[in-house]
Amino acid sequence: MQPLFMEPVFQEKIWGGTRLNTVFGFDLPNDHIGEDWAISGHPHGVSMIKNGAYQGKTLDELWKNHKELFGNPHEEVFPLLVKILDAEDDLSVQVHPDDAYGLKHEGELGKTECWYVIDAKPGSEIVYGHSAQTREELAKMIEEERWDDLLVRVPVKKGDFFYVPSGTIHAIGKGILILETQQSSDTTYRVYDYDRKDAEGNTRELHIQQSIEVTTVPARKPEISISEVRKGNSAIITYLKTDFFNVYEWQIKGHVSFDKKAPYTLATVIEGYGELIVNGESYELELGTSFILPNQIKTWEIQGALRIIASDPGMK
Ligand code: ZN
């Protein structure tokens, strides 16, 4: 059994830029690429397998027809989505529903997400939470467009990690390059878009009513407890364990052996260069490489000088 390497899927966005080319070396179709859907089974941009027996197949096909690769899960769709986002400009202020609301109103999962900051220009900040104490107050402040009072802004720097559960009002600010691990959902309720217009003079749709309904009020600052295990010069950092996914950073300097901890593991190289070794075979890992270690791969090794953000669905 080989690891499954993914072809990137690029998404053009009004706020996107060129760092997926200048930092990651991807060939981009234009200068406004906001997102690489690095590992995705979502119909709005599904990953294709680049290598091995499943070359040319899509991740959603494998999920449907080769459930053994994922430990025979019960979920109907591949539940995780990994993206790299380049915010050349501010993203809209937004909120995502939870599973119950998402399934009822949108026919798909809700979206809990988390961000690892790969890079951030000086002065970069995010919107992360709000100040309203009641739903009525939230509605009133939105209606009166009191954005400075309502929105909580937080400065960010390279290496920061943020947990963004469904119901959290948030926005990624300009200058930030992040890796996002999220539930596989494309449902976004836009609260505020800075009154921006596209090339045709159109504003993007807002979803005020849904936003007010799904926002957690008052805002709760999500708790995270980060832990680190040293392995020689390398470190395995656990950022998050939730019902939806666990997220780790593998900081490799030299050589590290891994034992599988979940039915399958997702990984994206965010810095450096090295190799992945599975069953005595070696695979090159370069910046932006994304792969899944399927259920049949019980152990693997990584060597080189590189950093990887990894995730898994936990033991269900
Ligand atoms: Zn979001």
Side-chain angles (χ1 to χ4, degrees):
M1 176 59 64
Q2 295 190 9
L4 306 169
F5 287 90
M6 304 287 143
E7 292 283 2
V9 179
F10 300 113
Q11 306 277 6
E12 184 175 349
K13 299 282 173 182
I14 188 174
W15 44 261
T18 58
R19 277 185 294 180
L20 286 166
N21 170 258
T22 56
V23 176
F24 280 91
F26 291 121
D27 278 329
L28 300 184
N30 63 59
D31 286 353
H32 285 283
I33 298 302
E35 302 179 349
D36 166 25
W37 288 23
I39 304 177
S40 164
H42 196 283
H44 294 175
V46 65
S47 300
M48 192 187 280
I49 314 305
K50 302 213 242 212
N51 67 305
Y54 303 105
Q55 186 175 9
K57 298 237 184 293
T58 57
L59 185 50
D60 60 338
E61 260 179 279
L62 295 191
W63 186 264
K64 263 193 221 100
N65 303 326
H66 293 279
K67 288 217 177 288
E68 71 282 1
L69 295 171
F70 308 97
N72 298 306
H74 299 299
E75 299 115 307
E76 217 165 292
V77 295
F78 186 73
L80 302 181
L81 177 52
V82 176
K83 299 178 183 175
I84 303 171
L85 283 89
D86 171 18
E88 173 73 16
D89 198 355
D90 293 319
L91 272 75
S92 60
V93 178
Q94 55 188 253
V95 59
H96 308 294
D98 63 11
D99 284 354
Y101 192 100
L103 289 167
K104 181 164 175 212
H105 296 273
E106 310 292 344
E108 69 166 358
L109 295 172
K111 179 149 71 145
T112 280
E113 62 190 53
C114 62
W115 308 332
Y116 177 87
V117 179
I118 298 171
D119 202 7
K121 291 181 182 159
S124 295
E125 55 181 25
I126 58 170
V127 170
Y128 190 53
H130 65 84
S131 64
Q133 293 304 306
T134 64
R135 211 164 291 283
E136 293 67 37
E137 191 183 6
L138 174 69
K140 193 162 190 298
M141 290 174 91
I142 291 174
E143 193 198 341
E144 294 172 355
E145 304 197 320
R146 288 163 55 198
W147 307 117
D148 287 346
D149 296 337
L150 177 66
L151 304 175
V152 175
R153 291 171 193 280
V154 176
V156 305
K157 58 181 191 315
K158 181 176 176 165
D160 284 346
F161 186 87
F162 294 94
Y163 178 34
V164 186
S166 59
T168 307
I169 288 186
H170 62 277
I172 297 168
K174 66 175 173 221
I176 299 173
L177 184 65
I178 66 163
L179 184 137
E180 177 174 72
T181 306
Q182 57 161 95
Q183 289 181 272
S184 185
S185 165
D186 205 17
T187 298
T188 291
Y189 296 139
R190 236 177 253 129
V191 184
Y192 175 50
D193 199 30
Y194 315 96
D195 305 314
R196 273 188 294 209
K197 295 193 171 75
D198 67 12
E200 281 81 49
N202 302 310
T203 55
R204 294 196 293 175
E205 193 187 351
L206 300 177
H207 316 88
I208 301 297
Q209 192 52 43
Q210 295 96 321
S211 298
I212 293 167
E213 284 173 17
V214 307
T215 297
T216 303
V217 186
R220 268 197 306 271
K221 194 161 186 240
E223 295 291 325
I224 56 171
S225 74
I226 299 174
S227 63
E228 181 175 321
V229 176
R230 306 287 315 178
K231 293 189 174 190
N233 291 324
S234 303
I236 307 300
I237 298 163
T238 301
Y239 283 111
L240 200 58
K241 288 188 172 249
T242 73
D243 292 343
F244 307 108
F245 43 69
N246 303 324
V247 180
Y248 315 92
E249 180 181 347
W250 302 341
Q251 290 181 349
I252 315 282
K253 258 192 209 133
H255 181 276
V256 178
S257 303
F258 293 83
D259 296 313
K260 99 190 186 89
K261 296 237 172 351
Y264 54 95
T265 302
L266 288 60
T268 299
V269 179
I270 57 159
E271 194 179 292
Y273 180 83
E275 55 188 322
L276 167 68
I277 301 154
V278 177
N279 301 325
E281 251 191 89
S282 166
Y283 304 86
E284 188 180 24
L285 296 181
E286 52 185 16
L287 199 52
T289 300
S290 285
F291 57 96
I292 294 177
L293 295 153
N295 189 45
Q296 290 79 358
I297 296 177
K298 313 287 182 202
T299 62
W300 62 93
E301 295 156 72
I302 297 178
Q303 62 186 30
L306 69 168
R307 298 195 307 135
I308 288 172
I309 299 296
S311 54
D312 67 45
M315 286 309 231
K316 296 237 157 88

